[in-house]
């Protein structure tokens, strides 16, 4: 115990020394502020905001930005060809309803980097909170916590920026996940439905991070986290994260992310989770003034992870998958066509969505009998973007699984599709494939 205490004190003193040294440099009036990725056009990258203008900006008398407002609305109509009677589209964190118009996310927020202060508060409302945040079981770990207190916060953090190297940031709060290529905000992605590998991995974390920019072209981050997509922790330990971005120029992005030491199983801290993903995003053609093909790019995102310990073996509880996408822009980047194929296998199904609240179903039986979950998804997306603030999106998607997993016409809720109807001996209608057409409108300032 004494040794652990001394190690903790030494670590705190070391970090304090680093930050004091950084602060001394950052207050040096003769120091030149260097900006990472300065001059790069990154609006084309899968998972990035394509805005270049931010009209909701307040500036001081010296024309320095004090605060920037954020407004985002994402609405969609989805048609599932299986036509589930409960209008519930399953196995997706992006699309939750069928044959209905739905507000997926309505979000407002403020952010600032004024005088080296980092502040961010984005609020959210809409369907995605019911699919993602409502399922966080860690809010039941003890008292003084609930999902109702936190689910409407999309992101909230406070921190400080030091003008050393090309920048050094320290922040604590609720953040969007660093794992995976695609964004939690669907308007930033090339496709509306996320890839399987990104859908099976986290969208938010609560914790603290240090972001360091040793050069204009490289960023590295170290994270301390409560857990794998959790507000609180499942056990007594914390997870660790590492994220690395390298952009040698504006046409290429290389990323490697790691999640380590995750104790993410209720009442079993001996089970440890590891996850890694890496991605390559490259733009291989650019002529933004062209009325024909004006831009072209591809992305590759690979994932591997596992759980082990506490009676589990990594060879029986792992996830491996990939996603490959290609996007073509036309007519001065006002039109775009994105094609994507992705596949995943998840023995043990420890990252898989539950297809139904009714536990007696074909999927759970198959997993209990030792079947390995394997899935494929193909997606085609057409975007119309008259300006940088709005996107009209039409998308077709097809998914296939080796075991019954997707909602059939009988639905996955109850015999008549309503949650208050008695279940008795009814079983959810699960199918091995589904297909859909989705129309979405996304606005952002």
């Amino acid at each position: 115990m004494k040794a652990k205490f001394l190690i903790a004190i030494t670590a705190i003193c070391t970090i304090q020394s680093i930050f004091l040294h950084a602060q001394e440099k950052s207050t040096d009036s003769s120091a030149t502020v260097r900006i990472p990725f300065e001059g790069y056009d990154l609006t084309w990258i899968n998972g990035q905001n394509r805005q270049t203008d931010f009209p909701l900006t307040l500036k001081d008398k010296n024309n320095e930005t004090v605060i920037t407002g954020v407004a985002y609305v994402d609405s969609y109509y989805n048609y599932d060809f299986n036509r589930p009677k409960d209008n519930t589209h399953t196995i997706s964190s992006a699309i939750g309803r069928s044959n209905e118009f739905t507000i997926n996310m309505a979000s407002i927020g403020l952010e600032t980097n004024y005088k080296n202060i980092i502040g961010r508060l984005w609020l959210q409302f809409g369907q995605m909170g019911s699919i993602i945040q409502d399922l966080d079981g860690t809010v039941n770990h003890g008292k003084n916590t609930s999902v109702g207190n936190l689910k409407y916060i999309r992101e909230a953090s406070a921190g400080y920026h030091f003008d050393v190297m090309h920048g050094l940031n320290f922040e604590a709060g609720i953040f969007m996940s660093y794992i995976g290529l695609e964004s939690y905000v669907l308007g930033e992605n090339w496709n509306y439905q996320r890839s399987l590998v990104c859908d099976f991995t986290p969208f938010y974390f609560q914790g603290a991070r240090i972001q360091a920019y040793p050069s204009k072209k490289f960023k590295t981050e170290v994270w301390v986290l409560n857990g794998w997509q959790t507000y609180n922790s499942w056990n007594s330990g914390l997870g660790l994260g590492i994220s690395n971005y390298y952009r040698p120029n504006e046409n290429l992005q290389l990323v490697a992310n790691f999640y380590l030491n995750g104790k993410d199983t209720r009442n079993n801290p001996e089970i440890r989770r590891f996850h890694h993903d890496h991605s390559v995003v490259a733009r291989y053609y650019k002529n933004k003034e062209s009325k024909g093909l004006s831009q072209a790019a591809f992305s590759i995102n690979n994932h591997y992870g596992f759980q082990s310990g506490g009676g589990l073996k990594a060879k029986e509880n792992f996830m491996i998958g990939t996603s490959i996408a290609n996007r073509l822009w036309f007519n001065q980047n006002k039109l775009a066509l994105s094609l994507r194929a992705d596949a995943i296998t998840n023995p043990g199904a420890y990252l898989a969505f539950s297809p139904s609240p009714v536990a007696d179903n074909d999927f759970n039986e198959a997993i209990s009998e030792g079947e390995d979950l394997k899935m494929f998804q193909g997606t085609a997306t057409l975007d119309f973007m008259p300006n940088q603030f709005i996107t009209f999106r039409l998308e077709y998607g097809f998914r296939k699984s080796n075991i019954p997993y997707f909602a059939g016409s009988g639905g996955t809720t109850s015999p008549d599709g309503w949650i208050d109807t008695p279940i008795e001996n009814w079983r959810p209608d699960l199918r091995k494939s589904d297909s859909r057409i989705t129309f979405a409108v996304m606005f952002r300032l």
Side-chain angles (χ1 to χ4, degrees):
M1 181 64 72
K2 183 178 180 180
K4 290 183 178 179
F5 177 75
L6 291 174
I7 291 172
I9 292 297
T10 302
I12 292 171
C13 292
T14 302
I15 292 172
Q16 185 180 35
S17 175
I18 291 171
F19 280 127
L20 287 173
H21 179 66
Q23 191 171 28
E24 288 175 2
K25 286 194 172 184
S26 69
T27 55
D28 182 0
S29 59
S30 64
T32 301
V33 177
R34 293 177 289 183
I35 302 173
F37 314 120
E38 185 177 16
Y40 284 10
D41 169 24
L42 305 177
T43 59
W44 61 274
I45 293 178
N46 196 0
Q48 294 285 327
N49 183 10
R50 64 184 184 88
Q51 276 182 266
T52 56
D53 300 320
F54 299 88
L56 304 179
T57 300
L58 176 66
K59 298 187 177 183
D60 65 10
K61 61 182 180 180
N62 298 318
N63 204 39
E64 185 177 351
T65 298
V66 177
I67 200 164
T68 300
V70 179
Y72 177 80
V73 176
D74 166 10
S75 61
Y76 73 85
Y77 176 86
N78 178 59
Y79 183 80
D80 185 330
F81 285 94
N82 285 349
R83 301 179 64 185
K85 67 166 57 178
D86 55 359
N87 286 13
T88 302
H89 184 83
T90 60
I91 320 304
S92 171
S93 62
I95 304 170
R97 301 294 293 172
S98 173
N99 200 26
E100 293 177 348
F101 289 95
T102 304
I103 293 293
N104 210 3
M105 182 195 291
S107 180
I108 56 174
L110 298 170
E111 59 182 352
T112 183
N113 294 290
Y114 190 61
K115 304 299 183 184
N116 288 45
I117 295 171
I118 301 173
R120 189 179 301 108
L121 175 59
W122 294 341
L123 304 180
Q124 65 174 358
F125 307 89
Q127 172 217 260
M128 275 214 293
S130 298
I131 302 177
I132 299 174
Q133 284 81 4
D134 275 358
L135 301 181
D136 189 341
T138 63
V139 296
N140 299 315
H141 190 192
K143 297 181 180 180
N144 305 321
T145 180
S146 76
V147 73
N149 292 337
L150 298 169
K151 68 178 287 186
Y152 300 111
I153 299 175
R154 183 178 124 205
E155 190 164 1
S157 64
Y160 194 79
H161 169 81
F162 300 93
D163 292 322
V164 296
M165 302 180 290
H166 275 73
L168 178 67
N169 302 332
F170 175 78
E171 296 178 81
I174 297 174
F175 305 93
M176 295 296 94
S177 171
Y178 65 92
I179 293 178
L181 173 64
E182 294 171 319
S183 173
Y184 176 72
V185 180
L186 300 180
E188 297 178 347
N189 300 331
W190 290 355
N191 305 89
Y192 195 73
Q193 168 62 50
R194 300 183 191 92
S195 66
L196 296 171
V197 289
C198 287
D199 236 12
F200 275 41
T201 49
F203 297 108
Y204 65 88
F205 290 115
Q206 184 159 230
R209 69 183 180 187
I210 296 174
Q211 297 176 309
Y213 300 83
S215 73
K216 173 183 175 179
K217 302 178 180 181
F218 181 66
K219 176 182 74 168
T220 186
E221 302 180 355
V222 177
W223 294 65
V224 181
L225 313 161
N226 285 347
W228 179 272
Q229 190 165 289
T230 62
Y231 290 121
N232 305 323
S233 57
W234 288 106
N235 298 286
S236 60
L238 297 174
L240 301 175
I242 302 171
S243 178
N244 301 284
Y245 278 71
Y246 178 56
R247 293 166 176 152
N249 54 61
E250 68 176 19
N251 296 316
L252 179 63
Q253 173 179 281
L254 306 175
V255 181
N257 300 314
F258 300 87
Y259 177 80
L260 311 166
N261 197 48
K263 301 178 181 180
D264 300 302
T265 302
R266 179 174 174 172
N267 296 333
N268 195 340
E270 299 304 314
I271 298 177
R272 305 297 179 93
R273 182 172 297 178
F274 167 85
H275 196 89
H276 164 65
D277 84 273
H278 58 267
S279 59
V280 178
V281 190
R283 180 168 58 182
Y284 56 90
Y285 181 78
K286 176 186 176 183
N287 183 8
K288 290 189 175 182
E289 299 305 315
S290 172
K291 295 287 187 178
L293 181 65
S294 53
Q295 200 165 230
F298 71 86
S299 68
I300 302 173
N301 186 209
N302 300 316
H303 286 243
Y304 173 71
F306 62 85
Q307 291 190 144
S308 64
L312 297 182
K313 298 179 180 179
K315 66 180 181 180
E316 297 172 351
N317 289 268
F318 69 89
M319 179 271 232
I320 187 169
T322 188
S323 172
I324 302 174
N326 190 79
R327 184 169 172 92
L328 304 176
W329 289 259
F330 303 91
N331 190 25
Q332 299 176 331
N333 293 345
K334 293 181 179 180
L335 293 172
L337 173 65
S338 301
L339 302 177
R340 188 190 65 210
D342 43 289
I344 190 173
T345 183
N346 185 203
Y350 67 95
L351 295 180
F353 293 89
S354 172
S356 173
V358 181
D360 185 14
N361 62 64
D362 294 342
F363 172 79
N364 287 344
E365 285 184 2
I367 296 300
S368 65
E369 292 170 0
E371 291 276 357
D372 294 342
L373 175 62
K374 299 177 182 179
M375 291 175 60
F376 167 81
Q377 178 175 241
T379 311
T381 307
L382 181 63
D383 285 347
F384 172 52
M385 301 164 287
N387 57 51
Q388 62 182 288
F389 304 114
I390 193 164
T391 300
F392 298 90
R393 178 166 288 180
L394 182 65
E395 181 169 286
Y396 172 77
F398 171 79
R399 301 182 296 181
K400 187 173 180 61
S401 171
N402 64 316
I403 56 181
Y405 198 29
F406 309 107
S409 59
T412 57
T413 303
S414 71
D416 65 357
W418 295 85
I419 60 174
D420 56 357
T421 299
I423 301 299
E424 297 179 349
N425 295 322
W426 179 83
R427 288 171 65 93
D429 181 10
L430 299 181
R431 308 290 177 86
K432 291 186 177 182
S433 66
D434 73 353
S435 57
R436 62 174 175 85
I437 290 180
T438 307
F439 174 72
V441 181
M442 293 164 285
F443 153 83
R444 181 169 186 164
L445 278 181

